[in-house]
């Protein structure tokens, strides 16, 4: 199957969805892993991403974590080319616009869709063309639904790039939600004739049961639309890795719906993550959830902190807003009581800033001087320039790697040094995301937490978060290889959408 590296324009595919969270991110990753295992040089791409879960590339560019995960699936280094536009919501109506990995300002949704988005189409197409000139195949991920007819004029992530780059489109539908046939048909029928010509077919995601019972419906769908279904992927737990724009868990729900493995020691360890507003990079706690005997839950009530052995205050795009929320719900007082009792608390990035003494913010919230929780000797001043780095260091005698994404500049005035932050008693704070993915450090940290909590918990000696992530990506690749028509998929990627696909009325309004 390998195309080689002739230097010409590589093949491509756009993975669209009937809705947000239909499974586009994991299907894109699965196709990337399937292809790279077959010797194809492949890269992921998402023109525009709206997410509070982001990552820093080696060149210091900020991109969506989903694209970083897809790059790992493709076994390539993530770059800004793979996600040229990232929108980071700061409220219901505005977002920070990150262009080619660097923030360029705040913009309202009306302002963005009113003209700025169209101007970015050239940048997006240039990035895609550069990737296609370098790789054998580029697997693109859409956003939301391609049939959002109110936004079609300014679309640069779905049919806008499909038509401009002449990419075949595979529409993914989540059958677990119900209504998948209507969603498939309606998605095609709401597109213009020109757009419909690029919609090659469908992929059913999260199917439970006997596929033979579904097949009559798939045959009828093909008769109605003239488009085939390229696969039916079965429902599998634990594949929601590096979610883009949602937690895929409810509050008070376990991380990633995963079952907790039996502990190595006599006790389990309970971790409560405060589900603060505009929570960002909550993927930081995935490494904790991967440890046998560690139960990680998102919480929003003070009483839910009582039996927790560790409380994590995660990152946020709205530090001052999150601080107010913690106070309003009584969680701030509960955190203060924990600190006074010597019970472990970990603040990461925005959570670290919240635990400090004072915040001076004329950038994010423009609230000016605000008192923090006062649990760490730290003063924070928000700078207009964003810190985007990949630090490496040592803590608790172990090597640690992480990444930083923040406007807040911390002045640490006391405590013990801890990953460029500090520690006072059992309260820890750092700007470093991803530090818990360093296996030796994570185990040392959990031993400290268990001792402070009085738990007879023992970290497993052989848990490798990197290996577990590779296993998940291989499972995604297996899903595509075993449950999709891979020969037909490859023809799409290599040759484009079939010619002569019928128009399904009524089409998009004029």
């Amino acid at each position: 199957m390998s195309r080689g590296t002739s230097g010409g324009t590589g093949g491509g595919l756009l993975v669209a969805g009937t809705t947000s969270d239909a499974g586009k991110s994991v299907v894109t990753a699965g196709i990337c892993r399937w292809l790279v295992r077959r010797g194809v040089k492949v890269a992921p791409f998402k023109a525009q991403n709206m997410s509070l879960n982001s990552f820093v590339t080696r060149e210091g560019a900020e991109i969506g974590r989903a694209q970083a995960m897809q790059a790992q699936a493709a076994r390539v280094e993530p770059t800004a080319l793979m996600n040229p536009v990232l929108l980071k919501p700061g409220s219901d109506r505005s977002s920070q616009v990150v262009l080619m990995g660097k923030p360029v300002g705040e913009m309202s949704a009306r302002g963005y869709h009113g003209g700025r988005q169209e101007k970015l189409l050239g940048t997006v197409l240039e990035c895609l063309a550069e990737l296609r000139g370098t790789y054998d195949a580029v697997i693109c991920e859409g956003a939301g639904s391609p049939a959002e007819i109110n936004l079609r004029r300014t679309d640069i992530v779905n049919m806008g790039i499909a038509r401009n780059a002449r990419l075949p489109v595979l529409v993914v539908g989540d059958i677990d939600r119900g209504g998948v046939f209507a969603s498939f048909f309606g998605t095609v029928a709401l597109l213009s004739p020109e757009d419909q010509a690029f919609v090659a077919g469908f992929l059913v995601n999260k199917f439970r049961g006997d596929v033979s019972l579904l097949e009559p419906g798939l045959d009828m769908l093909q008769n109605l639309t003239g488009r085939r279904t390229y696969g039916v992927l079965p429902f599998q737990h634990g594949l929601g890795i590096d979610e883009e724009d949602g937690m895929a868990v409810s509050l008070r729900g376990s991380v990633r719906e995963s079952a907790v493995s039996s502990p190595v020691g006599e006790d389990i360890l309970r971790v409560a993550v405060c589900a603060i507003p505009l929570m960002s990079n909550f993927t930081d706690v995935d490494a904790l959830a991967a440890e046998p005997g560690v139960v990680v839950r998102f919480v929003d009530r003070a009483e839910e902190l009582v039996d927790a052995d560790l409380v994590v205050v995660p990152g946020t795009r709205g530090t001052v807003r999150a601080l107010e929320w913690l106070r309003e719900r009584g969680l701030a007082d509960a955190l203060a009581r924990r600190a006074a009792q010597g019970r472990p608390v970990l603040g990461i990035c925005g959570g670290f800033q919240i635990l400090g003494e004072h915040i001076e913010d004329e950038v994010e919230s423009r609230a000016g001087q605000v008192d923090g929780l006062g649990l760490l000797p730290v003063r924070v001043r928000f700078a207009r320039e964003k810190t985007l780095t990949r630090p490496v260091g040592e803590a608790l005698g172990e090597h640690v790697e992480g990444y930083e994404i923040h406007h807040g500049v911390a002045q640490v005035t006391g405590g013990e040094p801890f990953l460029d932050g500090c520690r006072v008693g059992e309260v820890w704070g750092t700007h470093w995301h991803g530090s818990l993915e360093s296996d030796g450090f994570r185990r040392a940290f959990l031993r400290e937490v268990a001792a402070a909590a009085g738990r007879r918990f023992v970290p497993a000696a052989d848990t490798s978060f990197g290996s577990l992530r590779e296993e998940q990506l291989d499972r995604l690749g297996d899903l595509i290889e075993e449950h999709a028509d891979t020969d037909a998929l490859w023809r799409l990627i290599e040759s484009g959408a079939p010619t002569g696909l019928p128009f399904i009325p009524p089409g998009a309004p004029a």
Side-chain angles (χ1 to χ4, degrees):
M1 179 181 286
S2 175
R3 295 171 59 98
T5 52
S6 63
T9 299
L13 175 71
L14 176 68
V15 179
T18 56
T19 62
S20 295
D21 202 30
K24 298 183 293 291
S25 294
V26 294
V27 167
T28 299
I31 294 175
C32 286
R33 179 50 60 101
W34 158 62
L35 286 173
V36 77
R37 292 194 309 204
R38 294 297 174 268
V40 177
K41 187 180 178 184
V42 60
F45 178 78
K46 183 158 185 171
Q48 172 197 292
N49 194 348
M50 178 173 280
S51 179
L52 288 171
N53 282 340
S54 58
F55 182 76
V56 179
T57 67
R58 293 202 181 279
E59 70 267 29
E62 184 179 9
I63 66 171
R65 270 201 70 101
Q67 279 60 66
M69 174 269 291
Q70 291 161 357
Q72 185 177 350
R75 296 179 180 148
V76 296
E77 188 68 31
T79 73
L81 291 172
M82 297 172 185
N83 180 205
V85 182
L86 173 64
L87 305 178
K88 303 193 73 174
S91 71
D92 292 339
R93 297 192 175 187
S94 69
S95 296
Q96 182 181 67
V97 180
V98 179
L99 178 62
M100 295 304 294
K102 303 296 180 183
V104 294
E106 295 280 333
M107 187 167 287
S108 68
R110 180 176 293 276
Y112 183 69
H113 290 286
R116 179 63 184 269
Q117 188 178 30
E118 285 180 285
K119 295 176 182 177
L120 295 175
L121 179 60
T123 299
V124 162
L125 291 173
E126 288 172 5
C127 291
L128 177 56
E130 185 170 343
L131 289 173
R132 294 182 78 183
T134 305
Y135 291 89
D136 301 334
V138 178
I139 309 302
C140 308
E141 179 187 345
S145 162
E148 291 169 349
I149 54 179
N150 57 314
L151 301 177
R152 175 62 185 91
R153 181 179 62 84
T154 59
D155 171 39
I156 65 170
V157 66
N158 291 307
M159 302 311 301
I161 66 161
R163 278 177 59 182
N164 275 281
R166 306 195 66 79
L167 294 171
V169 178
L170 183 69
V171 181
V172 177
D174 180 355
I175 197 170
D176 201 46
R177 295 181 172 194
V180 75
F181 291 116
S183 298
F184 281 145
F185 183 88
T187 296
V188 179
L190 279 176
L191 299 177
S192 68
E194 295 82 2
D195 284 351
Q196 286 192 24
F198 290 90
V199 179
F202 314 106
L203 186 76
V204 177
N205 192 29
K206 297 184 181 179
F207 180 73
R208 306 174 192 247
D210 185 347
V211 176
S212 66
L213 298 177
L214 189 67
E215 287 171 351
L218 300 179
D219 292 339
M220 285 186 275
L221 181 67
Q222 183 165 2
N223 290 334
L224 287 166
T225 66
R227 291 158 174 85
R228 58 165 296 177
T229 297
Y230 284 79
V232 178
L233 308 185
F235 183 94
Q236 288 194 11
H237 284 280
L239 291 182
I241 51 180
D242 287 3
E243 297 294 335
E244 176 181 288
D245 51 9
M247 281 191 291
V249 294
S250 62
L251 291 179
R252 296 176 292 282
S254 296
V255 173
R256 305 291 179 265
E257 302 175 319
S258 57
V260 178
S261 303
S262 299
V264 175
E266 297 180 39
D267 289 341
I268 63 171
L269 212 58
R270 297 175 177 85
V271 179
V273 184
C274 296
I276 54 181
L278 297 174
M279 181 167 49
S280 62
N281 286 66
F282 53 79
T283 48
D284 282 335
V285 300
D286 283 357
L288 294 178
E291 284 285 347
V294 176
V295 181
V296 179
R297 302 177 73 83
F298 291 92
V299 304
D300 63 350
R301 297 189 303 221
E303 56 268 29
E304 293 176 299
L305 303 189
V306 174
D307 67 347
D309 301 307
L310 169 67
V311 174
V312 177
V313 186
T316 172
R317 173 80 167 85
T319 300
V320 172
R321 178 178 167 186
L323 181 57
E324 293 170 350
W325 181 88
L326 289 167
R327 287 184 168 129
E328 289 167 0
R329 302 182 75 90
L331 287 157
D333 290 338
L335 288 168
R337 287 193 295 271
R338 286 187 66 89
Q341 296 164 358
R343 303 179 66 200
V345 176
L346 171 64
I348 302 174
C349 200
F352 167 43
Q353 297 166 8
I354 285 169
L355 298 180
E357 297 170 344
H358 297 286
I359 297 170
E360 181 184 342
D361 182 11
E362 299 292 350
V363 176
E364 192 174 77
S365 68
R366 297 180 175 86
Q369 294 277 352
V370 178
D371 287 336
L373 298 187
L375 305 184
L376 290 174
V378 176
R379 295 173 178 265
V380 176
R381 178 185 55 82
F382 275 68
R384 296 199 176 277
E385 185 175 346
K386 182 183 282 191
T387 298
L388 296 168
T389 63
R390 292 272 293 268
V392 176
E394 185 176 301
L396 303 179
E398 299 288 346
H399 176 77
V400 189
E401 297 182 13
Y403 57 99
E404 295 187 52
I405 306 170
H406 55 89
H407 284 279
V409 178
Q411 179 187 5
V412 179
T413 60
E416 301 175 41
F418 174 67
L419 298 179
D420 292 342
C422 66
R423 170 190 184 180
V424 174
E426 295 305 324
V427 180
W428 315 63
T430 178
H431 271 135
W432 292 23
H433 293 291
S435 62
L436 294 167
E437 295 179 18
S438 298
D439 297 326
F441 166 71
R442 183 181 63 254
R443 287 192 280 268
F445 177 69
L446 289 176
R447 282 193 290 268
E448 293 256 355
V449 169
R455 297 288 184 188
R456 290 171 293 182
F457 169 84
V458 178
D462 57 353
T463 301
S464 167
F465 185 75
S467 297
L468 291 172
R469 171 55 53 87
E470 279 296 305
E471 288 175 13
Q472 283 184 308
L473 294 173
D474 276 332
R475 287 174 64 199
L476 292 178
D478 292 343
L479 277 178
I480 298 299
E481 189 165 341
E482 295 169 10
H483 300 283
D485 185 339
T486 52
D487 288 340
L489 267 182
W490 178 245
R491 286 194 295 272
L492 273 187
I493 293 168
E494 192 171 40
S495 305
T499 57
L501 292 170
F503 169 69
I504 308 301

